[in-house]
């Protein structure tokens, strides 16, 4: 019950006061199946891209983090080809930093920040990570290409 009222409150806030560049909604009236869109930030290789994400809210939310993955392919050291995201706030402690005080809005904002500032030292995609570290121009070129190919409307 707590979960349902909290989710309703979060969704209503996401609708009325969404973080800049982020939208989130229920998928087919399922309270635990959400979709989100993140706009690629200005001055990043993802600029002008629209990235779709899937959010599955577990039974134990907010004591367990939602499972979030990209549905839109993205060229990024911390996001794999299945759309899984390597980000500490998406995992439970001791390995992660999830806390019940966090919410879906915070998570989406963190993902948006990760898009703008990859963490090559904790990669899911080792090859993209080393490209980011040692050949940034090539990384930026590839990321822009993927954004144009998969995230342009």
């Amino acid at each position: 019950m707590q979960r349902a009222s909290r989710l309703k409150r979060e969704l209503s806030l996401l609708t009325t006061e969404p973080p800049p560049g982020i939208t989130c909604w229920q998928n087919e009236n399922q309270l635990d199946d959400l979709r989100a869109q993140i706009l690629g930030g200005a001055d990043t290789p993802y600029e002008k891209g629209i990235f779709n994400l899937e959010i599955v809210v577990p039974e134990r939310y907010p004591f367990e983090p939602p499972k979030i993955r990209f549905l839109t392919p993205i060229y990024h050291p911390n996001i794999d080809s299945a759309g899984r995201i390597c980000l500490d706030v998406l995992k439970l402690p001791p390995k992660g930093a999830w806390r019940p005080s966090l919410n879906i809005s915070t998570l989406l904002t963190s993902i948006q920040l990760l898009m703008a500032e990859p963490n090559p030292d904790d990669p899911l995609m080792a090859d993209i990570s080393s490209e980011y570290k040692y050949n940034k121009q090539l990384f930026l070129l590839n990321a822009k290409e993927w954004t144009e190919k998969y995230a342009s409307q």
Side-chain angles (χ1 to χ4, degrees):
M1 199 62 223
Q2 221 180 352
R3 171 178 173 255
S5 60
R6 172 160 168 170
L7 275 172
K8 280 196 180 90
R9 211 171 41 246
E10 283 191 39
L11 274 171
S12 140
L13 261 174
L14 276 161
T15 308
T16 54
E17 302 167 35
I22 293 174
T23 49
C24 184
W25 65 93
Q26 280 174 260
N27 188 36
E28 297 172 9
N29 287 333
Q30 299 282 326
L31 196 56
D32 54 3
D33 183 18
L34 310 175
R35 293 291 179 266
Q37 278 188 334
I38 296 180
L39 300 177
D43 304 322
T44 73
Y46 311 110
E47 189 169 11
K48 293 190 176 77
I50 297 174
F51 297 88
N52 293 305
L53 294 91
E54 170 188 74
I55 304 166
V56 177
V57 184
E59 280 299 318
R60 296 194 56 242
Y61 183 80
F63 303 103
E64 213 175 274
K67 300 202 177 340
I68 303 180
R69 70 183 188 96
F70 275 79
L71 297 173
T72 306
I74 180 170
Y75 194 84
H76 194 287
N78 308 108
I79 302 159
D80 73 9
S81 53
R84 292 180 303 229
I85 307 161
C86 183
L87 187 61
D88 59 353
V89 290
L90 294 174
K91 295 188 232 96
L92 284 167
K95 285 191 170 142
W98 170 256
R99 295 184 314 280
S101 58
L102 296 173
N103 60 35
I104 292 167
S105 179
T106 329
L107 292 178
L108 290 170
T109 306
S110 301
I111 291 168
Q112 190 181 40
L113 195 66
L114 181 71
M115 286 170 70
E117 295 173 20
N119 177 2
D121 299 323
D122 188 16
L124 267 181
M125 304 297 278
D127 49 340
I128 297 177
S129 173
S130 57
E131 190 178 280
Y132 180 84
K133 278 178 162 171
Y134 306 113
N135 191 347
K136 192 110 175 227
Q137 284 313 108
L138 182 62
F139 165 79
L140 292 169
L141 193 74
N142 285 328
K144 269 191 189 120
E145 241 172 56
W146 276 50
T147 300
E148 282 165 24
K149 187 171 175 183
Y150 300 110
S152 293
Q153 293 304 305

